């Protein structure tokens, strides 16, 4: 006891000393760096960040950042910064041609998920996750990074092959948003080089740039003084520091080099306004940007200012959200806040997604709320809640400090290098918040809000559908709204909240009547006095996380077809109404500072809840759950608000070409069954609040046929007490419902549909195979392994060999009910003239998979990927919650996971061929 008391006193003393130190700091003093991070600079100028971290085990997150991107390109290089990023995966000194991806896949690394890169205006960022359970893998990871830094091959044949991939990436992003962006950016960034340097580049340069032009950029900008190496993982930092020196110290810094220029965005007195219309734009939106001076982010003053920014963004966004709860909301969504911009600037932005029938009304409402905050500031109640919310978030992060995954730290050090962000460590950051938050006054916050909306450097952008009946405001009308708001007789915001408890009184507890443990899996099964079943797994994967799911058979399958649309939306209608006597706005305020949430769902075959909570907020979580069962809220105003937004979103979504394809795909795949036909306006108009409320109450009237599952970190004694108080007390009967077979099947035979919509020269292809499934654990594992190999071959053939797509993927869907079946969906985008060629290539890959046993190399890749994912997943609460749920719902023994890795390892090429013959059967083949 004395030792414990002494430890507490030491901790309290250290907090006090640090708080005194923080309070004495000048605002321009630099923040300290996290002592757990080893920093260094090699003689050639390369910086490095190293941190040992045990989560996840046997993994390292490696990064290399180059402070060069599209804005560094010459006029004949537009798009080559991004192209070079691609070439890093297409051959280096130590990994010729495609050997890099093949090597990494053989270690269980998935291309795109664990191996990736991206290019921005003024930086290029490479990401690599490497396993560490075999000797030499860590060093090979650093060899990859070194090769990216100065040993890319730029093989002529690989450049030619990759041109097609880059062009397909360019094509993929063509559409309404891209066309709108091209109109707005030259105005937003007027007078700056940024406006003429979108990273994707120009097609003609991508098609024709000679190798020498690539090399000129690579040699000029991939150089040590513009590089940082980041390593976070389950390793010894001394070993990693030696590897960094070994692989990077020898890279020579050029004696003569091109200066990295800064490209400022000029200031302007008059407002800049950009109006863009497009036939395919789903929803109109108006954005106002106030360009603000930049600041040092790694100082005490910069950190404190960042806290004030977050407080303001929290408060103003809550105000704007309130307006969306009105029966006739003025806009669909609005938000505001200050954040980073470009060229060292910051910006305060006010964004409103409006209804098409009155764009100016929505813009006026959003800008009014921003200006109300500018004119009158915020209230003490708002500030207190925002402080509480932010502090609770910091405390939650502190609680998880020893369970934080390496990727999160790697991202933090990337920002430290690229954005000069401070990284003092979560312990110190919490103490900064504890020191600063109480001293941030309402006057200070309101004064900062006034600095957000100056009389200069304002940009207004309007994006609107180009459609009959949509009145697109003019520049003069937009300015008139802004000036009109400034001259309005505005009143200060009235903060309405409550101190009432969620439950007026605790329910009378029921009992846990029996309890047993599942061998080897630490799952406790409880039966309650009302008949409900509870499954509990206590873990130490996270310190501040409890995940939850509840389910019962029935779902929308028990609604007749006339009620189907109402039934399908009943869960969302109830969730958007609030609970009991509290509307959604009041409920959200009541939840301030609470880390917990409960969300009802009603799917085709089940109803239930998803949720999560911090251990310290578990009782609030249970109160929410109890209320959703016993006291759902029927709110006419909330219903009208919800349906207004649904109708507007529905009408707007139909302008996107992808909507027509998806509607055709679903209707055809499900044989035009009424439940899977595209939603219509009449469907939405038919949704009835009273019927939705009654259907919801019916589905949740009997808690006795529900199963409740909890996974995470909690005190078992407290959890059992909450279970008895809030679950065992729920009303129940002995009736056990089941779902109803709706009588639909996937489409049979070979069916082809062509949807012609859209104005860009691009095609989207969806291919679907389906059939009966042999639903048992060993079969599912073999099926998944076959799909991994199928995806590898699709990428190798369609992307790498053919250069016909930017990305291609196949996904499987397996279900046991109403009868065991599967579907395999293959999707890609390409040039219209290549559609039939690439569909044939996909069929060739399918034929290849069925014609011969899988090659050993690809089998090993699939096995390693599956084993690595399983190894990592076993340390995640979400995995076990899903495992408990799927085992219970599908009648599977959870003990199957004991043999999971063995079942993967015993797979051979013949088994994969057998799976391909069975499940890549093109007898039922839908092509859209």
């Amino acid at each position: 006891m004395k030792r414990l008391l002494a430890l507490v006193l030491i901790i309290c003393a250290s907090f006090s000393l640090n708080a005194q130190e923080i309070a004495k700091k000048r605002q321009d003093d630099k923040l300290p760096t996290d002592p757990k991070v080893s920093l260094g600079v090699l003689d050639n100028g390369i910086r490095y960040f190293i941190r040992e971290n045990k989560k996840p085990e046997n993994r390292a997150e490696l990064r290399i950042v180059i402070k060069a991107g599209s804005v560094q390109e010459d006029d004949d290089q537009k798009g080559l910064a991004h192209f070079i990023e691609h070439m890093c995966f297409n051959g280096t000194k130590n990994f010729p041609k495609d050997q890099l991806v093949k090597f990494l896949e053989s270690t269980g690394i998935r291309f795109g998920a664990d191996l990736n890169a991206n290019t921005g205006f003024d930086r290029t960022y490479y990401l690599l996750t490497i396993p560490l359970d075999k000797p030499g893998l860590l060093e090979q990871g650093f060899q990859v990074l070194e090769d990216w830094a100065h040993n890319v091959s730029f093989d002529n044949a690989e450049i030619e092959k990759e041109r097609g991939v880059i062009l397909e990436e360019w094509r993929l992003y063509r559409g309404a948003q891209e066309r709108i962006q091209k109109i707005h950016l030259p105005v937003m960034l007027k007078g700056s080089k940024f406006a003429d340097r979108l990273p994707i580049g120009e097609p003609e340069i991508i098609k024709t740039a000679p190798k020498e032009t690539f090399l000129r950029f690579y040699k000029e900008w991939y150089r040590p003084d513009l590089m940082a190496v980041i390593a976070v993982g389950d390793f010894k930092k001394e070993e990693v520091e030696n590897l960094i020196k070994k692989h990077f110290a020898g890279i020579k810094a050029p004696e003569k080099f091109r200066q990295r220029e800064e490209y400022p965005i000029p200031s302007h007195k008059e407002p800049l306004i950009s109006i863009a219309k497009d036939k395919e734009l789903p929803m109109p939106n108006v954005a106002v940007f106030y360009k603000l001076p930049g600041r040092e982010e790694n100082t005490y003053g910069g950190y404190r200012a960042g806290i004030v920014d977050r407080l303001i963004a929290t408060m103003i966004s809550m105000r704007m959200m309130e307006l969306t709860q009105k029966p006739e909301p003025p806009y669909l969504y609005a938000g505001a806040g200050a954040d980073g911009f470009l060229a060292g600037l910051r910006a305060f932005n006010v964004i409103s997604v409006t209804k098409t029938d009155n764009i100016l009304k929505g813009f006026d409402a959003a800008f009014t709320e921003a200006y109300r905050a500018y004119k009158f500031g915020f209230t003490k109640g708002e500030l207190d809640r925002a402080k509480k919310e932010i502090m609770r978030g910091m405390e939650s992060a502190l609680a998880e400090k020893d369970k934080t995954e390496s990727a999160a730290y790697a991202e933090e050090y990337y920002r430290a290098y690229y954005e000069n962000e401070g990284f003092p460590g979560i312990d110190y950051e919490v103490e900064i918040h504890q020191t600063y938050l109480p001293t941030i006054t309402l006057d200070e916050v309101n004064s900062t809000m006034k600095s957000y909306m100056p009389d200069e450097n304002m940009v207004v952008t309007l994006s609107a559908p180009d459609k009959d009946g949509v009145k697109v405001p003019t520049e003069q009308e937009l300015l008139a709204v802004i000036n009109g708001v400034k001259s309005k007789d505005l009143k200060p915001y009235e903060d309405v909240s409550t101190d009432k408890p969620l439950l007026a009184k605790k329910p009378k507890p029921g009992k846990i009547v029996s309890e047993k443990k599942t061998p080897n899996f630490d799952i406790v099964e409880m039966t309650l006095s009302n008949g409900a079943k509870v499954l509990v797994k206590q873990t130490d994967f996270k310190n501040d996380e409890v995940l939850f799911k509840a389910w019962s058979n029935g779902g929308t399958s028990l609604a007749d077809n006339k009620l189907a649309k109402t039934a399908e939306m009943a869960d969302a209608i109830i969730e958007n109404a609030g609970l009991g006597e509290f509307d959604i706005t009041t409920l959200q305020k009541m939840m301030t500072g609470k880390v917990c949430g409960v969300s009802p769902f009603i799917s085709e075959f089940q109803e239930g809840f998803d949720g999560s909570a911090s251990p310290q907020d578990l009782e609030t979580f249970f109160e929410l759950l109890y209320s959703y069962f016993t006291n759902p809220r029927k709110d006419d105003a909330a219903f009208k608000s919800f349906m207004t937004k649904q109708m507007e979103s529905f009408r707007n979504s139909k302008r996107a070409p992808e909507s027509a394809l998806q509607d055709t795909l679903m209707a055809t795949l499900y044989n035009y069954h009424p439940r899977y036909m595209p939603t219509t306006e009449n469907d939405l108009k038919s949704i009835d609040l009273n019927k939705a409320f009654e259907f919801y109450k019916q589905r949740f009237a009997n808690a006795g046929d529900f199963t409740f599952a909890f996974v995470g970190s909690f005190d078992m004694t407290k959890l059992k007490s909450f279970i008895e108080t809030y679950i065992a007390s729920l009303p129940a009967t002995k009736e056990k419902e089941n779902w109803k077979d709706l009588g639909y099947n996937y489409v049979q035979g070979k069916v082809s549909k062509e949807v012609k919509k859209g104005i860009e020269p691009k095609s989207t292809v969806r291919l679907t195979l389906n059939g009966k499934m042999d639903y048992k654990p060993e079969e599912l594992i073999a099926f998944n392994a076959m799909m991994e190999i199928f995806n590898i071959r699709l990428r190798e053939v369609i992307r790498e060999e053919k250069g016909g797509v930017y990305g291609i993927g196949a996904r499987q869907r397996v279900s046991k009910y109403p009868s065991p079946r599967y579907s395999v969906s293959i999707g890609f985008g390409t040039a219209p003239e290549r559609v039939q060629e690439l569909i044939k290539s996909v069929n060739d890959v399918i034929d290849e998979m069925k014609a011969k046993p899988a090659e050993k190399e690809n089998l090993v890749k699939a096995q390693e990927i599956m084993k690595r994912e399983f190894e990592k997943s076993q340390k995640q609460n979400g995995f076990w919650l899903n495992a408990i749920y799927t085992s219970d719902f599908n009648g599977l023994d959870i003990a199957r996971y004991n043999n999971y890795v063995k079942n993967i390892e015993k797979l051979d090429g013949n088994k994969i061929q057998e799976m391909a013959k069975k499940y890549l059967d093109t007898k039922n083949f839908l092509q859209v």
Side-chain angles (χ1 to χ4, degrees):
M1 185 67 185
K2 288 181 179 178
R3 290 180 64 190
L4 177 61
L5 181 60
L7 180 61
V8 171
L9 290 172
I10 289 169
I11 292 170
C12 291
S14 67
F15 266 69
S16 176
L17 288 171
N18 278 339
Q20 292 173 24
E21 171 198 313
I22 293 164
K24 291 177 183 177
K25 290 292 184 182
R26 296 196 312 270
Q27 294 299 283
D28 59 352
D29 284 347
K30 299 290 185 185
L31 290 167
T33 58
D34 188 340
K36 293 185 178 179
V37 184
S38 295
L39 305 171
V41 183
L42 301 178
D43 290 343
N44 56 13
I46 292 178
R47 292 183 62 189
Y48 60 83
F49 301 71
I50 306 170
R51 182 187 182 117
E52 292 181 15
N53 190 57
K54 299 293 184 183
K55 296 293 179 180
E57 296 172 357
N58 291 319
R59 297 284 191 284
E61 295 289 340
L62 306 182
R63 308 283 189 266
I64 185 165
V65 190
I66 318 294
K67 280 190 178 179
S70 59
V71 80
Q72 275 74 42
E73 295 166 343
D74 295 329
D75 288 343
D76 63 343
Q77 293 174 323
K78 292 180 184 179
L80 296 196
H82 171 244
F83 203 142
I84 288 168
E85 171 217 306
H86 278 240
M87 292 308 300
C88 285
F89 299 93
N90 285 345
T92 64
K93 177 182 177 182
N94 293 286
F95 301 94
K97 297 187 180 292
D98 60 355
Q99 292 306 303
L100 171 59
V101 174
K102 285 187 174 182
F103 156 66
L104 291 170
E105 283 182 334
S106 72
T107 70
I109 296 300
R110 192 191 295 274
F111 183 69
D114 305 307
L115 172 68
N116 214 326
N118 56 73
T119 304
F121 280 110
D122 54 359
R123 61 102 183 104
T124 309
Y125 185 31
Y126 296 88
L127 306 86
L128 172 62
T129 304
I130 197 82
L132 302 178
D133 56 351
K134 293 179 182 176
L137 286 180
L138 182 60
E139 174 149 19
Q140 285 180 295
F142 279 103
Q143 184 63 69
V144 172
L145 262 61
E146 182 200 343
D147 275 19
W148 285 340
H150 74 138
N151 281 328
V152 178
S153 303
F154 294 103
D155 178 82
N156 282 318
E158 293 297 319
I159 290 175
E160 294 308 312
K161 279 169 38 178
E162 199 65 20
R163 292 189 201 275
V165 175
I166 301 281
L167 287 169
E168 289 309 322
E169 184 177 0
W170 167 81
R171 189 190 311 280
L172 180 68
Y173 293 108
R174 289 190 71 175
Q177 294 294 346
E178 180 260 352
R179 294 189 294 269
I180 292 284
Q181 184 185 53
K182 280 190 172 179
I183 295 170
H184 288 331
L185 278 181
V187 178
M188 293 172 63
L189 307 174
K190 186 177 180 181
S192 167
K193 190 178 179 183
F194 288 97
D196 188 41
R197 285 297 186 277
L198 287 177
I200 195 64
E202 294 185 358
E204 284 309 309
I205 291 175
I206 294 167
K207 289 177 187 175
T208 61
K211 178 176 178 176
E212 293 72 25
T213 317
F214 287 83
L215 290 172
R216 187 172 80 242
F217 186 94
Y218 188 67
K219 289 175 179 176
E220 287 182 339
W221 300 114
Y222 277 58
R223 62 178 200 245
D225 63 304
L226 300 179
M227 288 183 187
V229 176
I230 299 165
V232 184
D234 188 11
F235 47 58
K236 297 296 181 186
K237 67 180 180 182
E238 294 81 6
E239 179 188 1
V240 168
E241 190 163 25
N242 288 334
L243 286 171
I244 288 174
K245 290 174 180 176
K246 175 181 176 181
H247 285 277
F248 292 94
I251 299 177
K252 292 183 179 179
E255 293 181 9
K256 294 182 179 179
F257 57 86
R258 194 168 164 181
Q259 289 294 332
R260 185 181 185 274
E261 296 180 49
E262 298 297 329
Y263 297 100
I265 298 172
S267 60
H268 48 92
K269 296 287 186 185
E270 297 301 316
L272 300 176
I273 300 178
S274 175
I275 297 174
K277 298 187 292 184
D278 195 277
K279 295 181 187 302
E280 295 176 356
L281 186 71
M283 297 182 184
N285 67 79
V286 186
V288 182
F289 298 88
Y290 291 91
K291 300 171 195 170
L292 306 173
R295 66 175 177 232
E296 289 288 333
E297 297 290 345
N298 63 349
T299 63
Y300 285 88
Y303 195 98
R304 180 193 175 97
I307 296 175
V308 175
D309 284 345
R310 286 163 58 207
L311 289 167
I312 290 174
T314 300
M315 292 185 287
I316 201 167
S317 293
M318 282 299 296
R319 287 189 184 185
M320 290 181 164
M321 193 184 305
E322 281 186 36
L323 291 182
T324 66
Q325 307 305 323
K326 290 182 175 293
E328 289 292 333
Y331 46 68
L332 303 181
Y333 163 82
D339 208 343
F341 193 56
L342 278 173
L345 297 178
R346 295 165 55 249
F348 174 69
N349 55 75
V350 183
I351 297 171
S352 53
V353 178
T354 72
K355 294 190 280 187
T356 51
D357 60 0
N358 201 330
I359 295 171
L360 286 176
K361 179 182 177 182
F363 173 44
D364 183 286
F367 193 77
T368 295
E369 287 313 304
Y371 196 74
R372 192 191 313 276
Y374 168 85
K375 187 173 183 179
F376 298 109
F378 300 94
T379 68
K380 183 178 183 302
E382 288 179 292
L383 181 58
D384 287 346
R385 284 195 301 273
K387 286 182 177 182
K388 188 176 179 182
E389 190 75 11
I390 286 173
M391 196 64 232
R392 185 65 186 87
M394 295 303 297
E395 290 166 354
S396 183
L398 180 63
E400 296 291 12
K401 70 174 185 177
D402 62 328
K403 304 295 171 67
T404 302
E405 298 215 346
S406 297
Y409 286 123
E411 287 300 304
E412 184 177 14
Y413 309 143
Y414 152 70
R415 294 193 303 272
Y417 176 65
Y418 171 59
E419 299 175 7
N420 203 28
E421 184 181 289
F423 56 106
I426 187 61
D427 297 87
Y428 200 75
E429 287 193 61
V430 167
E431 293 181 47
I432 294 175
H433 277 75
Q434 289 171 334
T435 305
Y436 282 162
L437 271 174
T439 70
I440 295 173
T441 64
L442 195 58
D443 285 344
E444 180 182 351
V445 169
N446 292 342
S447 174
T448 301
M449 182 66 212
K450 283 195 177 295
S451 72
Y452 280 173
M453 302 175 77
D455 293 329
E456 57 188 19
N457 291 321
M458 182 179 76
V459 180
V460 183
T461 66
L462 164 61
S463 310
D466 187 4
K467 176 191 172 189
D468 291 342
V470 178
K471 186 180 183 304
V472 180
T474 63
E475 290 188 20
Q476 292 73 23
E477 287 173 321
L478 292 171
L479 284 175
V481 166
I482 292 171
N483 293 327
V485 168
K486 291 178 179 180
S487 61
K488 275 184 184 179
D489 182 20
L490 294 177
K491 299 290 189 290
Y493 171 78
E494 291 186 22
D495 183 22
V496 180
S497 59
T498 182
D499 58 1
K500 288 184 178 181
L502 188 60
L503 295 181
K505 63 178 182 177
K506 283 189 178 183
K508 183 180 177 181
K511 292 289 184 183
I512 297 170
V513 297
S514 70
E515 193 174 324
K516 64 180 181 180
K517 199 169 185 179
T518 304
N520 303 320
F521 288 93
D522 297 323
I523 297 170
V524 178
E525 180 180 326
M526 306 172 193
T527 302
L528 308 186
S529 52
N530 61 357
K533 182 169 73 173
V534 181
L535 301 169
V536 174
K537 181 175 175 64
Q538 198 169 19
T539 72
D540 60 0
F541 307 144
K542 291 281 187 181
N543 299 323
D544 202 40
E545 180 181 82
V546 181
L547 300 184
F548 163 80
K549 192 176 187 72
W551 60 92
S552 170
N553 287 341
T556 60
S557 70
L558 299 185
D560 61 38
N561 285 340
K562 288 182 180 179
L563 186 63
K565 292 298 178 185
T566 294
E568 287 167 7
M569 286 200 174
D571 51 2
I573 289 168
I574 297 302
E575 189 173 10
N576 280 273
L579 277 172
E581 65 177 288
F582 308 113
D583 63 28
I584 189 68
T585 299
T586 305
L587 184 63
Q588 287 167 343
K589 290 179 180 179
M590 292 167 67
M591 291 298 108
T592 298
K594 303 287 187 181
V595 180
C596 66
V598 179
S599 181
F601 72 82
I602 305 178
S603 62
E604 183 178 333
F605 295 134
Q606 291 185 320
E607 60 277 338
F609 296 95
D610 293 303
S612 64
S614 163
Q616 75 180 60
D617 295 318
L618 259 181
E619 185 157 20
T620 303
F621 165 86
F622 275 95
E623 290 177 346
L624 289 169
L625 178 65
Y626 185 85
S627 297
Y628 269 120
F629 265 105
T630 63
N631 202 12
R633 179 181 174 86
K634 183 165 69 170
D635 187 322
D636 188 62
F639 174 71
K640 287 177 180 174
S641 170
F642 175 75
M643 292 312 302
T644 297
K645 289 178 282 189
Q646 289 293 314
M647 183 66 79
E648 188 71 16
S649 296
F650 166 78
R651 288 170 177 159
N652 293 336
S653 69
K654 294 303 175 185
R655 278 191 282 276
E658 294 79 10
S659 173
L661 182 136
Q662 185 63 21
D663 286 349
T664 301
L665 178 66
M666 293 299 289
T668 310
L669 180 62
Y670 287 94
N671 267 320
Y672 302 95
H673 190 279
R675 295 290 178 103
Y676 287 92
M677 292 300 290
T679 299
T680 65
E681 279 198 35
N682 286 335
D683 288 331
L684 292 178
K685 289 175 182 176
S686 74
I687 292 172
D688 183 277
L689 172 60
N690 292 323
K691 290 178 181 178
F693 188 71
E694 287 306 313
F695 185 77
Y696 176 91
K697 287 206 303 181
Q698 179 192 76
R699 299 312 327 129
F700 293 93
N702 175 21
D705 72 345
F706 272 78
T707 300
F708 301 80
F710 296 87
V711 178
S713 173
F714 44 77
D715 180 294
M716 184 65 87
T717 303
K718 283 185 179 179
L719 184 73
K720 287 181 178 180
S721 174
F722 293 148
I723 288 169
E724 289 188 321
T725 302
Y726 297 101
I727 298 181
S729 62
L730 288 169
T733 68
K734 292 183 178 181
E735 183 183 352
K736 297 288 183 183
E737 286 186 304
N738 206 349
W739 45 265
K740 177 183 174 184
D741 188 343
L742 295 172
Y744 62 80
N745 287 299
Y746 290 138
V747 65
Q748 303 294 294
K750 297 195 175 187
V751 180
S752 180
K753 298 276 184 177
E754 190 171 85
V755 180
K756 288 185 178 289
K757 193 162 185 179
I759 59 178
E760 290 288 352
K762 59 191 286 188
S763 291
T764 303
V765 178
R766 296 289 181 265
L767 310 172
T768 305
L769 307 91
N770 73 81
K772 294 179 180 178
M773 181 78 201
D774 187 5
Y775 199 94
K776 55 189 180 184
E778 294 84 355
E779 187 84 352
L780 294 173
I781 290 171
F783 179 42
N784 290 341
M786 183 272 293
M787 289 297 297
E788 291 286 356
I789 294 171
F790 186 38
N791 270 301
I792 289 169
R793 289 299 294 143
L794 286 174
R795 177 182 54 77
E796 289 176 341
V797 173
I798 313 299
R799 174 179 159 134
E800 308 301 342
E801 293 177 15
K802 299 283 184 182
V805 299
Y806 172 61
I808 183 170
R811 293 183 179 180
Q812 65 270 39
R813 184 175 184 272
V814 175
S815 56
K816 188 175 181 180
Y817 306 115
S819 61
R821 55 189 171 191
Y822 76 93
S823 66
V824 172
S825 299
I826 304 141
F828 61 90
T830 192
E833 63 272 16
R834 299 198 67 182
V835 166
Q836 294 307 318
E837 171 203 350
L838 296 184
I839 289 176
K840 181 181 181 304
S841 294
V842 169
N843 276 290
D844 289 344
V845 173
I846 291 172
D847 291 343
E848 167 203 298
M849 296 276 295
K850 294 191 291 189
K852 60 182 181 179
E855 293 181 3
K856 180 70 174 176
E857 180 183 14
N858 286 333
L859 176 62
V860 169
K861 290 178 186 177
Q863 289 172 317
E864 287 299 313
I865 287 170
M866 292 173 71
K867 287 193 291 184
R868 300 255 181 235
E869 288 190 348
F870 181 64
E871 175 193 337
K872 184 177 178 180
S873 296
Q874 286 186 94
K875 301 297 178 67
Q876 296 173 343
N877 291 325
F879 169 82
W880 285 111
L881 183 66
N882 186 62
I884 291 169
Y885 164 66
T886 54
S887 298
D888 184 83
F889 179 49
N890 295 306
L892 298 171
D893 187 351
I894 201 164
R896 69 191 186 278
Y897 289 110
N898 286 327
N899 299 315
Y900 186 79
V901 172
K902 287 182 181 177
N903 284 329
I904 292 171
E905 289 175 340
K906 73 181 185 183
L907 294 172
D908 59 23
N910 291 318
K911 184 64 177 178
I912 300 301
Q913 182 186 15
E914 177 192 327
M915 291 294 100
K917 286 179 178 179
K918 190 184 291 190
Y919 298 117
L920 295 182
D921 184 357
T922 54
K923 175 178 64 180
N924 297 325
F925 189 74
L926 172 61
Q927 172 182 309
V928 182

